[in-house]
Every structure is written in C-alpha cells, then in structure tokens.
Coordinates of all heavy atoms in Angstrom, one line a residue:
V1 N -4.7 -6.2 12.1 CA -5.0 -5.7 10.7 C -3.7 -5.5 9.9 O -3.7 -5.8 8.7 CB -5.8 -4.4 10.9 CG1 -6.0 -3.8 9.5 CG2 -7.1 -4.6 11.6
F2 N -2.6 -5.0 10.6 CA -1.3 -4.8 9.9 C -0.8 -6.2 9.3 O -0.2 -6.2 8.3 CB -0.3 -4.3 11.0 CG 1.0 -4.0 10.4 CD1 1.2 -2.8 9.7 CD2 2.1 -4.8 10.6 CE1 2.5 -2.5 9.2 CE2 3.3 -4.6 10.1 CZ 3.6 -3.4 9.4
S3 N -1.1 -7.3 10.0 CA -0.7 -8.6 9.5 C -1.5 -9.1 8.4 O -1.1 -10.1 7.8 CB -0.7 -9.6 10.7 OG -2.1 -9.9 11.0
K4 N -2.6 -8.4 8.0 CA -3.4 -8.9 7.0 C -3.6 -7.8 5.9 O -4.8 -7.5 5.5 CB -4.8 -9.3 7.5 CG -4.7 -10.5 8.5 CD -6.0 -10.9 9.0 CE -5.9 -12.1 10.0 NZ -7.3 -12.5 10.5
T5 N -2.5 -7.2 5.5 CA -2.7 -6.1 4.5 C -3.3 -6.6 3.2 O -3.2 -7.7 2.8 CB -1.3 -5.5 4.1 OG1 -0.5 -6.5 3.5 CG2 -0.6 -5.0 5.4
Q6 N -4.1 -5.7 2.6 CA -4.7 -6.0 1.3 C -3.6 -6.1 0.2 O -2.6 -5.5 0.3 CB -5.6 -4.9 0.9 CG -6.9 -4.8 1.8 CD -7.8 -5.9 1.6 OE1 -8.3 -6.1 0.5 NE2 -8.1 -6.6 2.7
K7 N -3.8 -6.9 -0.8 CA -2.9 -6.9 -1.9 C -3.1 -5.7 -2.7 O -4.3 -5.2 -3.0 CB -3.2 -8.2 -2.8 CG -2.6 -9.4 -2.3 CD -2.6 -10.5 -3.4 CE -1.9 -11.7 -2.9 NZ -1.8 -12.8 -3.9
L8 N -2.0 -5.1 -3.1 CA -2.1 -3.8 -3.8 C -3.0 -3.9 -5.1 O -3.7 -2.9 -5.4 CB -0.7 -3.4 -4.2 CG -0.4 -1.9 -4.5 CD1 -0.9 -1.0 -3.4 CD2 1.1 -1.7 -4.7
A9 N -3.0 -5.0 -5.7 CA -3.8 -5.2 -6.9 C -5.3 -5.1 -6.7 O -6.0 -4.8 -7.6 CB -3.5 -6.5 -7.6
K10 N -5.7 -5.2 -5.4 CA -7.1 -5.3 -5.1 C -7.7 -3.9 -4.7 O -8.9 -3.8 -4.6 CB -7.4 -6.3 -4.1 CG -7.2 -7.7 -4.5 CD -7.5 -8.7 -3.5 CE -7.3 -10.2 -3.9 NZ -7.7 -11.2 -2.9
V11 N -6.8 -2.9 -4.4 CA -7.3 -1.6 -4.0 C -7.5 -0.7 -5.1 O -6.8 -0.8 -6.1 CB -6.4 -1.0 -2.9 CG1 -6.3 -1.9 -1.6 CG2 -5.0 -0.8 -3.4
K12 N -8.4 0.2 -5.0 CA -8.7 1.2 -6.0 C -8.7 2.6 -5.5 O -9.2 2.9 -4.4 CB -10.1 0.8 -6.6 CG -10.2 -0.5 -7.3 CD -11.5 -0.8 -7.8 CE -11.6 -2.2 -8.5 NZ -12.9 -2.6 -9.0
Q13 N -8.2 3.5 -6.3 CA -8.1 4.9 -5.9 C -9.5 5.5 -5.6 O -9.6 6.3 -4.6 CB -7.5 5.7 -7.1 CG -7.6 7.2 -7.1 CD -8.9 7.6 -7.7 OE1 -9.6 8.5 -7.2 NE2 -9.2 7.1 -8.9
K14 N -10.5 5.1 -6.3 CA -11.8 5.7 -6.1 C -12.4 5.5 -4.7 O -13.3 6.2 -4.2 CB -12.8 5.2 -7.1 CG -13.2 3.7 -7.0 CD -14.2 3.3 -8.0 CE -14.5 1.8 -7.9 NZ -15.2 1.5 -6.7
D15 N -11.8 4.5 -3.9 CA -12.3 4.2 -2.6 C -11.7 5.0 -1.5 O -12.0 4.9 -0.3 CB -12.1 2.7 -2.3 CG -12.9 1.8 -3.2 OD1 -14.1 2.2 -3.6 OD2 -12.4 0.7 -3.6
F16 N -10.7 5.9 -1.9 CA -10.0 6.6 -0.9 C -9.9 8.1 -1.2 O -10.0 8.5 -2.3 CB -8.6 6.0 -0.8 CG -8.6 4.6 -0.4 CD1 -8.5 3.6 -1.4 CD2 -8.6 4.2 0.9 CE1 -8.5 2.3 -1.1 CE2 -8.7 2.8 1.3 CZ -8.6 1.9 0.3
D17 N -9.6 8.9 -0.1 CA -9.4 10.3 -0.3 C -7.9 10.7 -0.5 O -7.6 11.8 -1.0 CB -9.9 11.1 1.0 CG -11.4 10.8 1.2 OD1 -12.2 11.3 0.4 OD2 -11.7 10.1 2.2
A18 N -7.0 9.8 -0.1 CA -5.6 10.1 -0.2 C -4.8 8.8 -0.1 O -5.3 7.8 0.3 CB -5.1 11.1 0.8
V19 N -3.5 8.9 -0.4 CA -2.6 7.7 -0.2 C -1.4 8.2 0.5 O -0.9 9.3 0.3 CB -2.3 7.0 -1.6 CG1 -1.4 7.9 -2.5 CG2 -1.6 5.7 -1.3
F20 N -0.9 7.3 1.4 CA 0.3 7.6 2.2 C 1.3 6.5 2.1 O 0.9 5.3 2.4 CB -0.1 7.8 3.7 CG 1.0 8.3 4.6 CD1 1.1 9.6 4.9 CD2 2.0 7.4 5.0 CE1 2.2 10.0 5.8 CE2 3.0 7.8 5.9 CZ 3.1 9.1 6.2
Y21 N 2.5 6.8 1.8 CA 3.6 5.7 1.7 C 4.6 5.9 2.8 O 5.4 6.8 2.8 CB 4.3 5.8 0.4 CG 3.6 5.2 -0.8 CD1 2.4 5.7 -1.3 CD2 4.1 4.1 -1.5 CE1 1.8 5.2 -2.4 CE2 3.5 3.5 -2.6 CZ 2.3 4.1 -3.0 OH 1.7 3.5 -4.1
P22 N 4.6 5.0 3.9 CA 5.6 5.0 4.8 C 6.9 4.5 4.2 O 6.9 3.8 3.2 CB 5.1 4.1 5.9 CG 3.7 4.0 5.7 CD 3.5 4.1 4.2
G23 N 8.1 4.8 4.8 CA 9.3 4.4 4.2 C 9.9 3.1 4.9 O 9.3 2.1 5.2
G24 N 11.2 3.2 5.1 CA 12.0 2.0 5.3 C 12.8 1.7 4.0 O 12.4 2.2 3.0
H25 N 13.8 0.9 4.1 CA 14.6 0.7 2.8 C 13.9 -0.2 1.9 O 14.2 -0.2 0.7 CB 16.0 0.1 3.2 CG 16.9 1.1 3.7 ND1 17.0 1.5 5.0 CD2 17.9 1.9 3.0 CE1 18.0 2.4 5.1 NE2 18.5 2.7 3.9
G26 N 12.9 -1.0 2.3 CA 12.2 -1.9 1.4 C 11.7 -1.3 0.1 O 11.9 -1.9 -0.9
P27 N 11.0 -0.1 0.2 CA 10.5 0.4 -1.0 C 11.5 0.7 -2.2 O 11.1 0.8 -3.3 CB 9.9 1.8 -0.6 CG 9.5 1.5 0.9 CD 10.6 0.6 1.4
L28 N 12.8 0.8 -1.8 CA 13.8 1.0 -2.8 C 13.8 -0.2 -3.8 O 14.1 0.0 -5.0 CB 15.2 1.1 -2.2 CG 15.4 2.4 -1.4 CD1 16.7 2.3 -0.5 CD2 15.5 3.6 -2.3
W29 N 13.5 -1.4 -3.3 CA 13.5 -2.5 -4.2 C 12.2 -2.9 -4.8 O 12.1 -3.2 -6.0 CB 14.0 -3.7 -3.4 CG 15.5 -3.8 -3.2 CD1 16.4 -4.3 -4.1 CD2 16.3 -3.2 -2.2 NE1 17.7 -4.1 -3.6 CE2 17.7 -3.5 -2.5 CE3 16.0 -2.6 -1.0 CZ2 18.7 -3.1 -1.6 CZ3 17.0 -2.2 -0.1 CH2 18.4 -2.4 -0.4
D30 N 11.1 -2.8 -4.1 CA 9.8 -3.2 -4.7 C 8.9 -2.1 -5.2 O 8.5 -2.1 -6.3 CB 9.1 -4.2 -3.8 CG 8.6 -3.6 -2.5 OD1 9.0 -2.5 -2.1 OD2 7.8 -4.3 -1.8
L31 N 8.7 -1.1 -4.4 CA 7.7 -0.1 -4.8 C 8.2 0.9 -5.8 O 7.4 1.5 -6.5 CB 7.2 0.7 -3.5 CG 6.4 -0.1 -2.5 CD1 6.1 0.7 -1.3 CD2 5.1 -0.6 -3.1

C-alpha cells in the first residue's frame, strides 16, 4: 500500500477525520 500512495490532488478533506504529516528532509522542498 505504501508503494501505491494516492496522488495528493485526488484526496479530499471531507473523507477523513484528521491529517498527519510524517517528516524527513523531503518536505522542505516539495510540501
């Protein structure tokens, strides 16, 4: 499942109760 993440553009807030952002240095550049 981790290898098949959804594209961010396709997910909607209304479908979830919360959002969680794990780190790593990657988010400094893209997120």
Side-chain angles (χ1 to χ4, degrees):
V1 177
F2 183 81
S3 73
K4 298 180 179 181
T5 64
Q6 294 289 300
K7 280 193 175 182
L8 201 52
K10 294 184 178 180
V11 297
K12 298 178 181 179
Q13 165 272 134
K14 67 180 180 64
D15 296 325
F16 302 94
D17 299 294
V19 65
F20 185 101
Y21 279 67
H25 281 87
L28 292 166
W29 279 274
D30 64 350
L31 294 174

